[in-house]
Each structure stands twice: as C-alpha cells, then as structure tokens.
Amino acid sequence: MTASSASLAARRKRIESIRRGERTVGERIVVVGMDIAGSWQRSREAVSETCSAAPIDADAPDWTTTPYGEAVNSCVDELETVARESGMVAAVSDADGRLLWTGCSRSMRTRAERVHFVPGGRWDERSVGTNALALALRYRRPASVFSAEHFIPAVQDWVCYAAPVRDASSGEVMGVVDLSTTWNRHSPLALHAVERFAQRVSQALQSLSLAPVLRLRMLGTPQAFLQGRALALSPRQLEILCLLTLHPEGLDLERLHAALYGDRPVGVATLKTEVSQLRDRLGGAIGSRPYRLLVNWQADFRDLEQALDAGRIETALACYRGAFLPRTESPLLRVWRDCLESRLSDAIFRVDDPDVLLNHLGQSPEAVDALQRLGELLPPDHPGRQLLARTFGEV
C-alpha cells in the first residue's frame, strides 16, 4: 500500500531538517539509520554537493557478450514494462556502479537524462554520493533511499530502490537492479520488486552454460582458450590472467603492478596497455576498479591446488603436466609456483601405491621425488626396480 502524501511530506521535512544541521547525531541516526548517516559522511569527503549529474564512462567495454550481460538481456523486457507502467525508471548496473541498461517511463525520461541516470552513468558512492544503488553495492543487500537522503540535490526529488545481483556459484555481487521514481510516489512494494528482479537475473546467470568460458592451461606449455578458441597472448598477458584467477575479488592497479613486476622499473602505463589489449582479446571480459575477470573460468593450476587442499593426491598428479610458468618473472607467481611444487612433492611422499607414482613418472619423467618415493616403496627384489633403473637410471 502506498504511503499517504501527508506522511511522505512529513518524512521529507524531517530529513531536510537533519541535512540543515537542526538535529543531534542521535536523532539523525534514528531518522535515517546508520547506513544513510555513514554514507553521508563518506560522501562529504568525496563529492561536492554542487554536483548536478553523474559522470559518464564513455569508454566502457562491451558487456553484452559476457554471461552477466546475457543474463541481464534475458530479463530487461519485463523490467522495462514494469517501469513504464509504474511511472518509474529502471536500471541495471555492473559491480562498479556503472549503469549498463536503463528503461524509462515517459514521466521519468527527462529527469533521468538530466542527471545522467543513463547507460554509462557512474552511480557509485564516490561519484555521486548517497543513493540506493551505491548502498546496495557497498552493503551487499537491498537498499532504498528516500528524497533528501540522497546526497546531491539533483536527485533529492527521487526515491530509489536497489538490490544486488549475485552469482549463485561464487556469491560475488555482479551488479544491481534499481527502480526509481519521484519521492511522492514511494511504495514499500517497490523494494520487493527490485529484489525479485535481481533474483531473476541471478537465476538467468545460473541457468547459462556452466562450462567455463575461459580455460587456462598453465602447467607445462602455457595456453589460454576462449570458448574453445586458442588465444594469442603475450607472456605478460598470460601472467595477468593467472594473477586475476588467484585474486577473484580483484586487484587494483597498484597491487596488480606489484604482483606482476615487483621492483622492476616498469611504468604503470605499460601495465594499463597490457590490460587494455588483454581486455580486447577477451571481448571486454575484464572489469576495472578493481581489475577482475568477468567470465566463468577454469585453470589447471587452480584445479591442482584444490585437489591438494582436499587431499586427492591422484587427482592432483593427474592435473600436473609440467611446472607452472617456469619462465615467469612475477614475484607473486614465482612464490606461488614454489609453494605449489613443494606441496605436490610433500603429497608424493605420502603416496603408498607404486602404480600411482609410475603413472606420474610416465608423464613427468623428471619427477625426482616420485623416483625417490618409489625407491622407498619397492622391495629390493621387485622387478620394477630393474625397469626403473633402465628407464630413469639408478633408483
């Protein structure tokens, strides 16, 4: 049931009095809540109250071919119908708060265009301050922002409702579904509507093919495949992909630079160029701020790590086809490789089945640790010792 005009007007006046400094801190929190009060504080440090519109990201990569993009496109027709019939503007963002799609009623179109609530508009908290989309991203839960609770005056005649879209497999927030209208049309039912649509997008994402889109083969000869097609990538670009799989939450520019180059005198512009070219090769499937993979992926070295974590030694040995990036100069990848090799060697010395070790030696004849473990397992008169001696030398 829609709230009465009188109660909405009274609520707006209370919030406006807080914004003018006429209430104590305690009263402020009681009226608007901790989430809004905290967001105001952060917004004052990042955004000018004279800001009249969101910045536009004109160089956004193509999102429509990513799994998230396909999931969004499968749901937007119904979302747009709801927006038009309800006098609202609907939007879907990515995980950075950048709007990917919008659908407007006639009554909200001009308002939305005036404040750049359009595709490419950045509605994260650091760009425009307090708004429902930004709060849904920050707190990873549904949010509504009413009237003067918005930080910038340009949208203080609005009420907005937003809910995060999650990847059902990883729990990662992929973006946000938002519905907005004028403050005097506020209805609690709108928050339930965006939650339902966010769940629809999440379900669509889950229903897409579960087969990995990007496959990395980094044990032995490094190779990367996108939708089954081999990619021609430089060693640095392959290393960037490995670093992003090791940090699915993402890496900012400084951390990625340190992980890739360490103390080597390589400028950040070089790294930006590498990432830009890699993003093009992947069809735009690398996010920014932080850098992260936007496609479902599978990597043999991560499979090996997971098998070791689970104590599945035979599976781990079956994954191994050679050393992980033996020529890498990345300090983080070198440490990770050394740790992986050490863990694998420890696992080999726990193997009690000679056949498992023989199979491993068949694909990795240089595995000295497997030879040593075989020497411990086979009795002196075992015929396998003579075979090993002829094939690999003295055991």
Side-chain angles (χ1 to χ4, degrees):
M1 181 172 61
T2 304
S4 70
S5 298
S7 64
L8 291 177
R11 179 181 174 186
R12 176 169 183 163
K13 286 182 179 179
R14 288 196 301 272
I15 299 168
E16 289 173 339
S17 71
I18 289 174
R19 296 296 294 270
R20 292 192 298 267
E22 298 173 2
R23 303 288 184 102
T24 66
V25 173
E27 290 174 315
R28 180 185 310 161
I29 293 174
V30 167
V31 173
V32 300
M34 289 292 294
D35 288 357
I36 297 292
S39 180
W40 283 351
Q41 179 62 40
R42 293 188 299 272
S43 299
R44 279 192 291 270
E45 298 171 358
V47 182
S48 169
E49 289 198 42
T50 61
C51 173
S52 60
I56 295 287
D57 190 344
D59 298 322
D62 181 20
W63 58 276
T64 57
T65 58
T66 67
Y68 179 55
E70 293 179 29
V72 169
N73 282 328
S74 71
C75 301
V76 293
D77 287 347
E78 184 181 353
L79 185 56
E80 185 169 24
T81 298
V82 169
R84 287 179 174 175
E85 293 179 352
S86 305
M88 307 182 89
V89 53
V92 180
S93 82
D94 63 13
D96 295 322
R98 179 177 55 237
L99 299 190
L100 303 177
W101 171 91
T102 59
C104 272
S105 65
R106 183 177 302 176
S107 62
M108 287 296 293
R109 180 170 291 108
T110 300
R111 288 185 173 94
E113 292 173 350
R114 187 182 301 131
V115 299
H116 295 169
F117 200 77
V118 296
R122 298 197 63 91
W123 285 83
D124 56 289
E125 194 176 71
R126 292 191 62 83
S127 295
V128 291
T130 309
N131 68 89
L133 190 153
L135 291 182
L137 280 177
R138 182 177 185 87
Y139 295 114
R140 302 167 64 87
R141 61 175 181 264
S144 65
V145 174
F146 173 77
S147 184
E149 289 178 343
H150 289 91
F151 184 74
I152 62 173
V155 287
Q156 288 179 1
D157 280 335
W158 291 34
V159 59
C160 304
Y161 316 88
V165 177
R166 296 179 183 273
D167 183 307
S169 300
S170 67
E172 177 185 5
V173 172
M174 307 298 294
V176 168
V177 175
D178 183 286
L179 283 170
S180 299
T181 187
T182 53
W183 67 274
N184 56 339
R185 303 189 65 177
H186 165 64
S187 170
L189 295 178
L191 192 59
H192 295 295
V194 291
E195 289 184 75
R196 181 172 65 87
F197 276 110
Q199 187 176 23
R200 285 278 304 280
V201 177
S202 179
Q203 290 171 343
L205 183 62
Q206 188 178 22
S207 69
L208 295 172
S209 173
L210 297 178
V213 174
L214 176 67
R215 293 181 183 272
L216 303 181
R217 297 289 178 266
M218 298 293 142
L219 298 173
T221 303
Q223 290 180 295
F225 302 87
L226 184 64
Q227 298 284 24
R229 178 176 56 87
L231 298 174
L233 302 179
S234 71
R236 296 295 83 76
Q237 291 167 348
L238 291 171
E239 289 171 348
I240 291 169
L241 287 178
C242 291
L243 289 168
L244 294 181
T245 64
L246 292 173
H247 297 85
E249 77 284 1
L251 288 168
D252 61 28
L253 180 62
E254 292 75 16
R255 290 179 64 205
L256 181 58
H257 186 277
L260 186 62
Y261 297 112
D263 295 331
R264 284 179 286 161
V266 180
V268 294
T270 299
L271 175 56
K272 287 182 177 180
T273 299
E274 291 279 15
V275 173
S276 178
Q277 293 174 350
L278 180 57
R279 181 184 287 120
D280 290 341
R281 298 286 176 86
L282 296 181
I286 294 182
S288 58
R289 305 174 193 173
Y291 293 124
R292 65 199 183 282
L293 288 173
L294 302 180
V295 290
N296 191 17
W297 53 266
Q298 179 267 336
D300 57 355
F301 59 97
R302 295 304 302 271
D303 293 342
L304 172 56
E305 179 190 38
Q306 291 171 8
L308 290 172
D309 289 344
R312 294 182 282 109
I313 298 175
E314 289 188 49
T315 302
L317 293 177
C319 291
Y320 192 82
R321 291 294 186 273
F324 171 70
L325 295 180
R327 293 188 174 89
T328 183
E329 295 181 359
S330 159
L332 190 146
L333 293 178
R334 291 172 68 177
V335 169
W336 198 89
R337 179 191 62 210
D338 293 345
C339 179
L340 190 66
E341 293 284 342
S342 177
R343 292 187 63 194
L344 184 63
S345 183
D346 289 343
I348 285 172
F349 280 102
R350 295 196 300 272
V351 173
D352 294 322
D353 186 346
D355 289 337
V356 171
L357 298 173
L358 287 169
N359 289 335
H360 179 55
L361 284 166
Q363 64 187 26
S364 300
E366 73 286 352
V368 177
D369 42 14
L371 284 171
Q372 292 175 343
R373 180 57 177 160
L374 266 177
E376 295 173 358
L377 291 176
L378 296 179
D381 58 348
H382 193 285
R385 278 187 171 275
Q386 296 178 4
L387 177 61
L388 289 174
R390 290 196 300 268
T391 306
F392 301 106
E394 188 65 30
V395 178

